[in-house]
Amino acid sequence: MAITSSKSFHGNFSGKRSLLPFTFLLVGALSLFYFQKVALSEEGQKSNAKANGGAVSSAYTGNLWKTDSTLSKKLLGETPFARCDMHRVKVGENKIVDDWIFMEERDAINVAVFMENGTLLAFQQQKYAIPGETLSPVGGFINNGESPFDAARREVWEELGVGSSRTKEILSHGGKLEHSIEAKASPFGTSETLVKLDEHGLMVGDVSDDESGSWVFLGKYRTMANRGGGFIYTYLLREAIPLVEGGGASEYVSRGDAEDQTLLHLSREEVTEALLAGRFQEVKWAATLALGLLYLEKHEA
């Protein structure tokens, strides 16, 4: 095997060394370009956020779960609406689980909306994690400073243009429902009133007394018992009426999220058949509709 001489080695090194200034210059230029690009991107995000009245952040905006059994947690990934952590959890007296995956998601509402004629308003749509088409009730995240019931009233108005007769009475007299939401073309106002919490620090889903004739709180449920996924607050709205022109009609244009969907009017019998056939393909949707039907059956008997 040939051995490189000291002279040739130093000669080669000298040649390579002559490239070092250029290498440093190239790395410096690329770094400067990258940071300028990032700065411009962040500035653009800030401008867009300012125009939209929002903040620039990918940080999760909901509450984080922790109990006496939570020893530590490590962030794996997050968005403003969801977050994935690795928890270290004490189980029983002596066992410790180091790789407990836990999913945080903002609390949400679902509403089974029945019109005055007894038909249910349901969407036929497609969802990223569901194959093919599915049926779904009204639903959405609860905004910061908003009670679950206020979120339910807001979502029903935004997505369907309907509500209770009491809600229409309040709005027709220039009143505003008391909750806080993001600025939109909405008749709902804002309020500094505190959201009520239960003994576990979770939001209370009770319906206001003046709406109890039409609205029913069906319960609060954890999405995944050991893995989190937020809490779902379920509601029933009976004898709903239009709050705006065209509200509840098949051609009504939703004021909420821009999703491709078709609004259907289903009879009670059709809802039951769809449930049994698995056409409401998310368990939270199926639970909300089943609870609503059980309530109606019990209280109309």
Side-chain angles (χ1 to χ4, degrees), residues 102-262:
F102 196 84
M103 299 296 300
E104 304 279 8
E105 188 175 52
R106 290 188 65 95
D107 295 340
I109 60 91
N110 278 145
V111 187
V113 179
F114 287 88
M115 299 296 288
E116 279 187 312
N117 62 3
T119 60
L120 172 83
L121 298 185
F123 293 115
Q124 181 174 287
Q125 56 188 193
Q126 293 185 335
K127 291 292 187 180
Y128 175 65
I130 295 176
E133 288 190 328
T134 181
L135 297 180
S136 73
V138 174
F141 289 124
I142 302 170
N143 292 327
N144 290 337
E146 185 178 41
S147 74
F149 174 55
D150 289 331
R153 287 195 292 191
R154 173 180 56 79
E155 287 287 351
V156 168
W157 179 85
E158 287 179 352
E159 296 193 18
L160 300 174
V162 305
S164 70
S165 57
R166 175 56 181 159
T167 298
K168 184 171 185 177
E169 179 184 352
I170 294 173
L171 297 177
S172 65
H173 287 85
K176 291 185 177 181
L177 304 181
E178 293 187 359
H179 68 208
S180 178
I181 63 172
E182 298 173 0
K184 295 182 178 182
S186 168
F188 299 96
T190 60
S191 172
E192 298 301 324
T193 58
L194 295 177
V195 175
K196 295 180 181 179
L197 304 178
D198 64 16
E199 67 273 20
H200 304 294
L202 302 174
M203 292 185 291
V204 174
D206 294 347
V207 171
S208 61
D209 291 340
D210 63 336
E211 290 274 25
S212 60
S214 299
W215 282 90
V216 179
F217 177 46
L218 299 172
K220 171 183 86 271
Y221 304 92
R222 173 61 101 172
T223 302
M224 296 182 287
N226 278 326
R227 304 298 174 187
F231 286 89
I232 185 70
Y233 291 76
T234 59
Y235 292 90
L236 167 67
L237 172 57
R238 299 171 292 176
E239 299 183 351
I241 61 174
L243 297 182
V244 296
E245 184 177 354
S250 299
E251 61 274 10
Y252 180 74
V253 179
S254 170
R255 298 169 185 259
D257 296 332
E259 293 182 303
D260 291 333
Q261 55 194 13
T262 302

